[in-house]
Amino acid sequence: GESVGLHLPTLSVQEGDNSIINCAYSNSASDYFIWYKQESGKGPQFIIDIRSNMDKRQGQRVTVLLNKTVKHLSLQIAATQPGDSAVYFCAERFFNKFYFGSGTKLNVKP
Amino acid sequence: NAGVTQTPKFRVLKTGQSMTLLCAQDMNHEYMYWYRQDPGMGLRLIHYSVGEGTTAKGEVPDGYNVSRLKKQNFLLGLESAAPSQTSVYFCASSSVRGQIYEQYFGPGTRLTVT
């Protein structure tokens, strides 16, 4: 099967700083990518997505960057807040199937 | 508008027992998915459906069966539960808008097999 991996299992940032969460994906034919946020005891929540024909997409306080050359995806969170503390997953879509990474836990220190 | 709901929220089974997990969505979505999530790991796709009456295997389908008799419901069955199936199960649904497949997840079912 396909594999999606993350470079760091945990990330600690100071409140107000910017956060960057990285993800490596394995299949160059994947056409769609999503970042999810999962809080303890809850299901994943959609944050932002990007299609393979794009390099960058911005949302409210979040930006996703896609580098197809090195098969790398990143999520940037601006002015990180305590409410951003959660586990973040990237997922790639390959022929109707989504493959998730193992997640990065983001800790926001007050 | 409840979104995606899952029944039950918790369940304990003995090895060899069977059960069915129910997922329901009220957003008229075409696609539905079943995932499992093990501790410290991401979600792995078990089975999915691209429309009423259709199902397909995902990444880890062994030991599970599914049915999509109605568009709004997606059932996941375990015929003979094994301890390796202890996990949290998430259902999701998505519409297809162009090439956008935003998935909406349910709250999960925590299953323990002893």
Side-chain angles (χ1 to χ4, degrees), chain A residues 1-3 31-32 34 36 38 41-46 49 51 53 57 89 91 93 95-103, chain B residues 31 33 35 37 40-45 48 50 57-59 90 94 97-108 110:
Chain A
E2 305 304 316
S3 65
D31 62 354
Y32 180 68
I34 307 178
Y36 288 96
Q38 187 177 28
K42 296 184 179 180
Q45 179 184 2
F46 173 93
D49 59 2
R51 292 166 51 180
N53 61 354
R57 188 151 189 253
F89 296 96
R93 180 181 177 269
F95 287 119
N96 275 337
K97 300 179 186 178
F98 284 91
Y99 298 88
F100 283 72
S102 56
Chain B
Y31 287 40
Y33 312 81
Y35 293 91
Q37 184 176 32
M41 295 182 66
L43 283 73
R44 290 184 292 169
L45 183 63
Y48 65 100
V50 300
K57 293 181 180 180
E59 190 180 0
F90 288 100
S94 70
R97 297 178 289 111
Q99 294 182 20
I100 305 301
Y101 302 90
E102 180 177 345
Q103 295 183 62
Y104 295 82
F105 283 83
R110 186 173 296 275

Side-chain angles (χ1 to χ4, degrees), chain B:
Chain B
N1 190 334
V4 179
T5 59
Q6 293 182 233
T7 309
K9 289 185 170 53
F10 303 93
R11 186 71 185 268
V12 178
L13 288 179
K14 294 184 178 179
T15 297
Q17 287 185 320
S18 64
M19 76 162 295
T20 300
L21 282 68
L22 171 64
C23 176
Q25 53 96 3
D26 60 4
M27 296 173 282
N28 201 34
H29 286 168
E30 291 293 330
Y31 287 40
M32 296 188 75
Y33 312 81
W34 275 108
Y35 293 91
R36 60 176 288 173
Q37 184 176 32
D38 298 311
M41 295 182 66
L43 283 73
R44 290 184 292 169
L45 183 63
I46 303 171
H47 287 281
Y48 65 100
S49 168
V50 300
E52 181 179 327
T54 71
T55 63
K57 293 181 180 180
E59 190 180 0
V60 289
D62 294 342
Y64 305 95
N65 57 74
V66 288
S67 64
R68 184 106 180 263
L69 299 179
K70 294 182 179 181
K71 185 178 184 179
Q72 63 267 33
N73 295 336
F74 196 28
L75 278 64
L76 177 70
L78 285 73
E79 291 186 347
S80 179
S84 62
Q85 294 178 304
T86 293
S87 190
V88 180
Y89 291 85
F90 288 100
C91 175
S93 70
S94 70
S95 62
V96 179
R97 297 178 289 111
Q99 294 182 20
I100 305 301
Y101 302 90
E102 180 177 345
Q103 295 183 62
Y104 295 82
F105 283 83
T109 295
R110 186 173 296 275
L111 175 65
T112 302
V113 183
T114 61

Side-chain angles (χ1 to χ4, degrees), chain A residues 17-19 37 58-63 75-81 83-84 88:
Chain A
D17 288 350
N18 297 335
S19 302
K37 173 186 180 182
Q58 289 184 296
Q60 189 173 11
R61 282 203 306 120
V62 294
T63 301
L75 176 69
Q76 300 178 358
I77 305 174
T80 312
Q81 303 169 359
D84 295 327
Y88 290 80

